[in-house]
């Protein structure tokens, strides 16, 4: 079995804009960008900073130089599929740290907000709703509330499933961008449990995304 290893840490240039997102949050943001179809660079580039910078072409260019190599590393990691792909919060042989996952998800959530209609449709479709549900235990939802006793165990399970789900999300995004028949079929009709999974894994739906 292939051992998944997280892609390399962001390689920063000698001069780094201190306003850029922290590395782990940046990894989540860039991953979110890659699993959201039809995003133009102009739509997501300003999200690289904690606060929206003034329109400064030189600063924007430097920010892109800082992160584009890492974005390519995430793309390359996605080509390994599952279980080869692992986001930056993963550490080989260890359970993901909930604090690290929460920070990573904060960046991913920022990318999701760039395309609310797309992600609302994903969350409402019974075939893909599980993908989005995996993130909810790591999101900042405002007012504290009393959690169930096994909340941390559920987070452990969801953190372990996230890499596999992200591979499926990436495949869905690529199919949407390519307008492949498989995605159109997924959007207009239900996928049978014994049919090939629309995420492109080549496995039956019941043994792939339906089992996530």
């Amino acid at each position: 079995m292939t051992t998944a290893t997280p892609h390399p840490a962001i390689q920063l240039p000698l001069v780094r804009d201190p306003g850029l997102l922290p590395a782990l949050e940046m990894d989540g943001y860039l991953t979110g960008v890659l699993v959201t179809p039809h995003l133009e660079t102009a739509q997501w580039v300003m999200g690289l900073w904690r606060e929206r910078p003034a329109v400064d072409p030189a600063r924007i260019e430097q920010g892109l130089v800082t992160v584009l190599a890492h974005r390519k590393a995430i793309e390359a990691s996605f080509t390994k599929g599952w279980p080869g792909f692992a986001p930056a919060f993963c550490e080989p042989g260890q359970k993901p740290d909930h604090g690290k996952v929460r920070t990573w998800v904060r960046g991913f959530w920022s990318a999701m907000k760039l395309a609310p209609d797309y992600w609302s449709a994903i969350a409402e479709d019974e075939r893909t709703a599980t993908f989005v549900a995996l993130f909810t235990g790591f999101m900042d939802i405002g007012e504290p509330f009393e959690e169930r006793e096994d909340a941390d165990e559920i987070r452990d399970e969801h953190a372990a499933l996230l890499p596999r789900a992200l591979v499926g999300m990436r495949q869905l995004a690529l199919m949407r961008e390519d307008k492949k028949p498989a995605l159109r079929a997924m959007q207009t009709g239900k996928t049978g449990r014994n049919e090939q999974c629309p995420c492109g894994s080549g496995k039956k739906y019941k043994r792939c995304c339906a089992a996530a």
Side-chain angles (χ1 to χ4, degrees):
M1 179 182 292
T2 303
T3 301
T5 55
H7 31 261
I10 295 175
Q11 299 299 310
L12 303 179
L14 294 177
V15 179
R16 182 181 187 270
D17 187 333
L20 285 170
L21 296 175
L24 196 58
E25 190 172 342
M26 181 73 80
D27 188 88
Y29 181 71
L30 294 174
T31 302
V33 168
L34 287 169
V35 300
T36 304
H38 303 306
L39 285 182
E40 301 293 337
T41 302
Q43 293 176 267
W44 58 264
V45 65
M46 291 302 180
L48 300 175
W49 286 267
R50 292 190 184 99
E51 297 181 3
R52 188 181 182 93
V55 179
D56 181 345
R59 185 180 183 186
I60 293 172
E61 182 179 359
Q62 182 61 61
L64 284 171
V65 168
T66 300
V67 301
L68 282 180
H70 187 63
R71 186 178 188 270
K72 290 181 179 179
I74 299 174
E75 286 184 288
S77 185
F78 267 128
T79 63
K80 299 175 184 178
W82 185 85
F85 170 79
F89 62 77
C90 292
E91 297 182 19
Q94 299 182 33
K95 292 193 304 183
D97 177 87
H98 292 176
K100 291 182 178 180
V101 180
R102 193 171 281 110
T103 298
W104 188 94
V105 168
R106 187 183 305 128
F108 190 90
W109 172 240
S110 295
M112 291 175 71
K113 290 188 289 186
L114 299 174
D117 291 343
Y118 174 76
W119 285 105
S120 292
I122 293 295
E124 293 169 3
D125 192 310
E126 64 180 11
R127 292 154 293 185
T128 52
T130 302
F131 288 168
V132 179
L134 296 176
F135 294 97
T136 56
F138 299 102
M139 290 180 172
D140 297 324
I141 58 176
E143 293 295 325
F145 63 96
E146 186 175 352
E147 293 188 322
R148 48 191 289 177
E149 293 183 357
D150 60 347
D152 282 340
E153 287 79 4
I154 293 174
R155 287 191 180 95
D156 286 338
E157 294 175 5
H158 287 185
L161 288 169
L162 273 174
R164 178 178 178 179
L166 287 164
V167 170
M169 292 178 202
R170 173 65 171 167
Q171 292 294 331
L172 288 174
L174 291 175
M175 286 190 286
R176 174 66 66 87
E177 290 179 344
D178 292 341
K179 298 181 180 180
K180 290 183 178 180
L183 183 60
R184 291 201 297 272
M186 179 182 176
Q187 294 173 322
T188 58
K190 291 189 174 182
T191 302
R193 289 179 58 79
N194 289 312
E195 294 178 14
Q196 189 176 68
C197 186
C199 80
S201 67
K203 299 179 181 179
K204 290 184 178 181
Y205 179 57
K206 66 181 179 182
R207 300 191 183 281
C208 191
C209 293

